[in-house]
């Protein structure tokens, strides 16, 4: 029985996954995997990816490619009686190349984000609004100053004050384990 690939999935692989092939090749080369084996690993990975019924679950195409290649490598290792050292090195490199956060890191980030949101609600109105426009909406200091009719130095000072207050609130809740928040001075537009 031959499985036909969905043309939309194949197009998605070409558009969103193929650009990361060089990174995978580089990781495998650093592990001293022979070029012919790299070609075989990638060919099998692309076959697996193109045979997916849906790609909606894929949030990070780069990480998904690395995991797929790692799974192909795992399958080859299981089938072999003698495991080549370069395959073991490749497994290590591929495991670290996947930059997607672990579920624990995602949970920690969500908790941290909830604390930051809570701290933001306690800020003085103008300070909170400036931080929202700067950090969430991505507006320049000049644009914020124009919109709320204040000087750019007030925008800069209020933004820094807001970040200090949020950092203090986080330290009060978490002590010294609270992540550092910084107001990065960016070039004025």
């Amino acid at each position: 029985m031959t499985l036909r690939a969905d043309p939309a999935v194949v197009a998605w692989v070409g558009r969103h996954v193929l650009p990361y092939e060089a990174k995978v090749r580089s990781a495998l080369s650093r592990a001293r995997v022979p070029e012919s084996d790299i070609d075989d690993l990638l060919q099998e990975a692309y076959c697996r990816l193109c045979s997916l019924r849906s790609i909606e679950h894929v949030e990070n195409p780069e990480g998904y490619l690395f995991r797929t290649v790692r799974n192909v490598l795992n399958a080859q290792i299981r089938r072999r009686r003698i495991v080549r050292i370069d395959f073991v090195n490749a497994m290590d490199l591929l495991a670290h190349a996947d930059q997607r956060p672990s579920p624990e890191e995602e949970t920690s980030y969500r908790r941290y984000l909830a604390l930051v949101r809570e701290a933001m609600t306690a800020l003085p109105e103008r300070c909170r609004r400036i931080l929202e426009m700067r950090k969430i909406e991505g507006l320049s200091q000049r644009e914020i100053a124009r919109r709320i009719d204040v000087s750019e130095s007030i925008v800069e000072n209020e933004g820094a004050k807001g970040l200090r207050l949020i950092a203090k609130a986080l330290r009060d809740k978490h002590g010294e384990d609270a992540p550092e928040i910084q107001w990065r001075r960016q070039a004025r537009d």
Side-chain angles (χ1 to χ4, degrees), residues 21-35 37-42 66 69-70 73 86-87 89-91 93-94:
E21 180 178 325
K23 284 177 112 175
V24 173
R25 283 186 178 279
S26 177
L28 292 169
S29 291
R30 282 193 310 274
R32 296 184 178 17
V33 174
E35 191 65 34
D37 288 335
I38 293 174
D39 291 339
D40 291 343
L41 290 168
L42 282 166
F66 272 92
V69 171
R70 190 172 59 232
L73 195 54
D86 52 359
F87 277 27
N89 289 340
M91 290 296 291
L93 278 173
L94 289 172

Side-chain angles (χ1 to χ4, degrees), residues 163-179:
L163 289 176
R164 278 192 310 274
L165 290 171
I166 291 172
K168 181 182 180 323
L170 292 174
R171 274 192 311 277
D172 290 348
K173 281 204 176 214
H174 288 284
E176 294 304 313
D177 293 336

Side-chain angles (χ1 to χ4, degrees), residues 97-164:
D98 181 7
Q99 298 299 317
R100 187 170 186 193
S102 70
E104 295 83 9
E105 290 170 324
E106 285 184 21
T107 300
S108 175
Y109 175 74
R110 283 191 187 105
R111 283 187 195 136
Y112 174 71
L113 190 56
L115 292 172
V116 169
R117 284 184 181 144
E118 180 183 318
M120 279 189 77
T121 61
L123 292 175
E125 177 63 27
R126 183 170 72 176
C127 187
R128 182 188 52 74
R129 185 64 190 131
I130 286 173
L131 270 181
E132 286 173 346
M133 287 191 284
R134 185 75 172 136
K135 298 298 184 181
I136 297 171
E137 296 173 29
L139 298 177
S140 68
Q141 286 184 185
R142 178 175 290 156
E143 179 62 19
I144 295 168
R146 188 188 63 72
R147 283 190 183 189
I148 63 173
D149 197 30
V150 296
S151 71
E152 285 185 55
S153 63
I154 288 176
V155 171
E156 184 174 352
N157 291 337
E158 289 286 308
K161 174 184 171 184
L163 289 176
R164 278 192 310 274

